[in-house]
Amino acid sequence: MIFRKTILFLLALQGVALLKAESDLLNVSYDPTRELYSEYNKAFASYWKTKTGEDVKISNSHDGSGKQSRAIQDGTPADVATLGLAYDIDAIYEKGGVNAAGQHLIPKDWQSRLPHNSSPYTSTIVFLVRKGNPKNIKDWDDLIRDDVSIITPNPKTGGGARWNYLAAWSYADKKFNGDKSKVLEFVSKIYKNALKNGLAAGARAGTISFTERNLGDVSITWENEALLIKKLNGDNYEIVTPSLSILAEPPVTVIDANVDEHNTRKQATAYLEYLYSPEGQDIIGKNFYRPIDPAAAAKYANQFKPLQLTTIADFGGWAEAQKTHFDDGGIFDQILKGNR
């Protein structure tokens, strides 16, 4: 019940216009980072007050990563973006237009400005099932069975949803030794089972469908989201770690045109840099994301099960993966069309 009340409150914030003063920061983020940034914002505000004597107030906006990217492109006054995948930030540069001074919202080389390609934490994709795993789901092969109903978000709107799709594709590609027709058939069967419930807009909406609406036999989800559910309601759910998944690298960036307009570049830059600090990395691990700092990674290693991980490089990078699989008329659209 506590989890449900918290989620409903946080979801109520979505779609509300956020009015911000010049000294405030707006972090436009993707679905499952609510708990992470709720804790992190308090830590950063305390750090900033001690360092500078200044008060800083941070507001968060959460939704599917693709949807949040489009919101920034369309004028949401984000000071920072902390999204689910690099393509959604690339799109802010490519599609966000320029201001009167000819300035893009962000520079093309935004990913080079912070360590680890501007990804201060990583995650992966796992399965969440109900207590006792009644459908005996062990790996991706079980998700194509006719008796299985799946919860997974829509790759058109959610960043985690695209990682889910690519993880499934990677498994099938290995299973069938690159036979594209068999891979397509395998992934199509997964989405046939997902369409039994409809595709949620984002990862957290998918979690609510699975945990509160009791839809589906299995939820394909972020590892951090599954671990959070286990922490809050562990008696009712189990995590199944597949034999192969994908390394998810959620990136962050300052939105340059906005911070220059708001006079918040100094605060926004420090806000993202502090994610790489020992305290920031500890908060990341505590909230079930995989830290990149070796000390924090070692501290929280026991909560992450080892598994084989493919990477976005195996798909030619995000630009190629987006064009091939998720753009209008791409493979994902063909899968949906074939299942309707």
Side-chain angles (χ1 to χ4, degrees), residues 114-155:
L114 288 168
H116 206 265
N117 290 321
S118 292
S119 294
Y121 43 84
T122 67
S123 190
T124 189
I125 302 303
V126 299
F127 308 150
L128 188 68
V129 299
R130 305 191 191 283
K131 182 179 180 180
N133 194 2
K135 291 296 178 76
N136 195 31
I137 290 166
K138 303 293 187 183
D139 212 336
W140 293 99
D141 290 309
D142 297 304
L143 272 56
I144 68 171
R145 291 175 5 215
D146 291 339
D147 66 324
V148 170
S149 172
I150 297 171
I151 296 293
T152 187
N154 189 338

Side-chain angles (χ1 to χ4, degrees), residues 73-279:
Q73 296 165 37
D74 292 340
T76 294
D79 296 280
V80 300
T82 58
L83 298 182
L85 47 90
Y87 176 81
D88 286 337
I89 296 184
D90 284 337
I92 295 171
Y93 166 76
E94 294 169 0
K95 302 176 183 178
V98 296
N99 61 18
Q103 180 186 19
H104 283 266
L105 286 173
I106 59 173
K108 186 175 183 179
D109 66 346
W110 64 269
Q111 204 165 10
S112 67
R113 297 191 291 188
L114 288 168
H116 206 265
N117 290 321
S118 292
S119 294
Y121 43 84
T122 67
S123 190
T124 189
I125 302 303
V126 299
F127 308 150
L128 188 68
V129 299
R130 305 191 191 283
K131 182 179 180 180
N133 194 2
K135 291 296 178 76
N136 195 31
I137 290 166
K138 303 293 187 183
D139 212 336
W140 293 99
D141 290 309
D142 297 304
L143 272 56
I144 68 171
R145 291 175 5 215
D146 291 339
D147 66 324
V148 170
S149 172
I150 297 171
I151 296 293
T152 187
N154 189 338
K156 293 287 190 176
T157 53
R162 274 169 278 176
W163 290 118
N164 292 357
Y165 171 101
L166 293 176
W169 190 278
S170 295
Y171 175 85
D173 190 59
K174 180 181 179 183
K175 177 182 177 69
F176 297 114
N177 296 313
D179 186 324
K180 290 299 186 284
S181 63
K182 291 182 179 179
V183 174
L184 180 60
E185 181 183 9
F186 185 93
V187 177
S188 294
K189 288 179 179 178
I190 288 178
Y191 281 92
K192 179 180 180 180
N193 286 340
L195 288 169
K196 295 174 182 178
N197 302 295
L199 301 177
R204 184 54 61 85
T207 296
I208 292 171
S209 292
F210 189 69
T211 61
E212 300 297 336
R213 298 177 62 199
N214 292 313
L215 297 176
D217 301 305
V218 55
S219 175
I220 309 175
T221 189
W222 291 96
E223 177 184 56
N224 53 276
E225 186 82 342
L227 288 167
L228 175 64
I229 297 300
K230 281 287 291 179
K231 175 185 176 182
L232 295 173
N233 203 350
D235 291 340
N236 292 325
Y237 302 98
E238 298 178 12
I239 297 173
V240 174
T241 302
S243 62
L244 184 146
S245 192
I246 193 165
L247 177 66
E249 299 174 289
V252 302
T253 188
V254 166
I255 306 300
D256 296 71
N258 290 348
V259 296
D260 289 344
E261 180 180 345
H262 304 155
N263 195 30
T264 56
R265 180 178 286 275
K266 177 176 64 175
Q267 295 91 335
T269 300
Y271 178 78
L272 296 184
E273 289 176 344
Y274 196 63
L275 285 165
Y276 294 85
S277 71
E279 183 176 13

Side-chain angles (χ1 to χ4, degrees), residues 284-316:
I284 283 164
K286 193 187 303 182
N287 284 274
F288 309 116
Y289 292 83
R290 297 184 177 219
I292 61 169
D293 175 72
K299 178 178 178 180
Y300 292 101
N302 288 342
Q303 67 189 8
F304 305 119
K305 291 187 177 181
L307 74 167
Q308 183 180 353
L309 296 174
T310 186
T311 72
I312 191 61
D314 295 312
F315 292 87

